[in-house]
PDB file of all heavy atoms in Angstrom:
ATOM      1  N   ASP A 398      15.815 -25.859  15.003  1.00  0.00           N
ATOM      2  CA  ASP A 398      15.728 -24.336  15.183  1.00  0.00           C
ATOM      3  C   ASP A 398      16.441 -23.573  14.101  1.00  0.00           C
ATOM      4  O   ASP A 398      16.638 -22.382  14.183  1.00  0.00           O
ATOM      5  CB  ASP A 398      16.284 -23.913  16.584  1.00  0.00           C
ATOM      6  CG  ASP A 398      17.826 -24.284  16.663  1.00  0.00           C
ATOM      7  OD1 ASP A 398      18.246 -25.043  15.853  1.00  0.00           O
ATOM      8  OD2 ASP A 398      18.397 -23.780  17.668  1.00  0.00           O
ATOM      9  N   GLY A 435       3.194 -11.675 -10.045  1.00  0.00           N
ATOM     10  CA  GLY A 435       4.628 -11.584  -9.669  1.00  0.00           C
ATOM     11  C   GLY A 435       4.891 -11.099  -8.203  1.00  0.00           C
ATOM     12  O   GLY A 435       5.117 -11.825  -7.274  1.00  0.00           O
ATOM     13  N   MET A 464      17.761  -1.967  -4.878  1.00  0.00           N
ATOM     14  CA  MET A 464      18.826  -1.340  -5.722  1.00  0.00           C
ATOM     15  C   MET A 464      19.390  -2.330  -6.701  1.00  0.00           C
ATOM     16  O   MET A 464      19.532  -3.515  -6.408  1.00  0.00           O
ATOM     17  CB  MET A 464      20.003  -0.990  -4.835  1.00  0.00           C
ATOM     18  CG  MET A 464      19.786   0.241  -3.890  1.00  0.00           C
ATOM     19  SD  MET A 464      21.210   0.543  -2.929  1.00  0.00           S
ATOM     20  CE  MET A 464      20.632   1.965  -1.965  1.00  0.00           C
ATOM     21  N   PRO A 484      12.698   3.650  -8.086  1.00  0.00           N
ATOM     22  CA  PRO A 484      11.336   2.938  -7.846  1.00  0.00           C
ATOM     23  C   PRO A 484      11.097   1.907  -8.977  1.00  0.00           C
ATOM     24  O   PRO A 484      11.751   1.986 -10.028  1.00  0.00           O
ATOM     25  CB  PRO A 484      10.330   4.028  -7.871  1.00  0.00           C
ATOM     26  CG  PRO A 484      11.113   5.281  -7.460  1.00  0.00           C
ATOM     27  CD  PRO A 484      12.483   5.042  -8.043  1.00  0.00           C
ATOM     28  N   PHE A 558       7.090 -15.081 -20.066  1.00  0.00           N
ATOM     29  CA  PHE A 558       6.474 -13.710 -20.347  1.00  0.00           C
ATOM     30  C   PHE A 558       5.128 -13.749 -19.593  1.00  0.00           C
ATOM     31  O   PHE A 558       4.387 -14.703 -19.684  1.00  0.00           O
ATOM     32  CB  PHE A 558       6.274 -13.539 -21.813  1.00  0.00           C
ATOM     33  CG  PHE A 558       7.566 -13.288 -22.576  1.00  0.00           C
ATOM     34  CD1 PHE A 558       8.158 -14.320 -23.247  1.00  0.00           C
ATOM     35  CD2 PHE A 558       8.148 -12.024 -22.653  1.00  0.00           C
ATOM     36  CE1 PHE A 558       9.353 -14.176 -23.940  1.00  0.00           C
ATOM     37  CE2 PHE A 558       9.365 -11.879 -23.299  1.00  0.00           C
ATOM     38  CZ  PHE A 558       9.930 -12.948 -23.970  1.00  0.00           C
ATOM     39  N   GLY A 587      -6.032 -11.844 -24.158  1.00  0.00           N
ATOM     40  CA  GLY A 587      -6.493 -12.955 -25.006  1.00  0.00           C
ATOM     41  C   GLY A 587      -7.529 -12.585 -26.059  1.00  0.00           C
ATOM     42  O   GLY A 587      -8.159 -13.425 -26.697  1.00  0.00           O
ATOM     43  N   ALA A 623      31.064 -12.850  -0.509  1.00  0.00           N
ATOM     44  CA  ALA A 623      31.488 -11.696   0.186  1.00  0.00           C
ATOM     45  C   ALA A 623      30.883 -10.411  -0.400  1.00  0.00           C
ATOM     46  O   ALA A 623      30.858  -9.356   0.204  1.00  0.00           O
ATOM     47  CB  ALA A 623      32.996 -11.584   0.290  1.00  0.00           C
ATOM     48  N   ARG A 636      11.236  12.377 -12.468  1.00  0.00           N
ATOM     49  CA  ARG A 636      10.763  13.767 -12.211  1.00  0.00           C
ATOM     50  C   ARG A 636      10.815  14.597 -13.473  1.00  0.00           C
ATOM     51  O   ARG A 636      11.885  14.788 -14.054  1.00  0.00           O
ATOM     52  CB  ARG A 636      11.771  14.400 -11.154  1.00  0.00           C
ATOM     53  CG  ARG A 636      11.809  13.755  -9.808  1.00  0.00           C
ATOM     54  CD  ARG A 636      10.483  13.772  -9.040  1.00  0.00           C
ATOM     55  NE  ARG A 636      10.050  15.098  -8.639  1.00  0.00           N
ATOM     56  CZ  ARG A 636      10.399  15.778  -7.594  1.00  0.00           C
ATOM     57  NH1 ARG A 636      11.223  15.145  -6.673  1.00  0.00           N
ATOM     58  NH2 ARG A 636       9.961  16.919  -7.280  1.00  0.00           N
ATOM     59  N   PRO A 641      17.943  18.037 -11.154  1.00  0.00           N
ATOM     60  CA  PRO A 641      18.889  18.007 -12.241  1.00  0.00           C
ATOM     61  C   PRO A 641      19.270  16.601 -12.717  1.00  0.00           C
ATOM     62  O   PRO A 641      19.040  15.644 -11.993  1.00  0.00           O
ATOM     63  CB  PRO A 641      20.117  18.774 -11.631  1.00  0.00           C
ATOM     64  CG  PRO A 641      19.955  18.665 -10.214  1.00  0.00           C
ATOM     65  CD  PRO A 641      18.495  18.457  -9.849  1.00  0.00           C
ATOM     66  N   ARG A 694      17.056   5.843  10.564  1.00  0.00           N
ATOM     67  CA  ARG A 694      18.031   5.824  11.611  1.00  0.00           C
ATOM     68  C   ARG A 694      19.121   4.801  11.352  1.00  0.00           C
ATOM     69  O   ARG A 694      20.352   5.065  11.560  1.00  0.00           O
ATOM     70  CB  ARG A 694      17.369   5.623  13.029  1.00  0.00           C
ATOM     71  CG  ARG A 694      18.316   5.378  14.171  1.00  0.00           C
ATOM     72  CD  ARG A 694      18.013   6.165  15.438  1.00  0.00           C
ATOM     73  NE  ARG A 694      17.767   7.569  15.225  1.00  0.00           N
ATOM     74  CZ  ARG A 694      18.760   8.532  14.965  1.00  0.00           C
ATOM     75  NH1 ARG A 694      20.073   8.138  14.848  1.00  0.00           N
ATOM     76  NH2 ARG A 694      18.451   9.785  14.797  1.00  0.00           N
TER      77      ARG A 694
END
Side-chain angles (χ1 to χ4, degrees):
D398 62 347
M464 291 180 178
F558 291 95
R636 296 296 297 271
R694 171 130 313 285

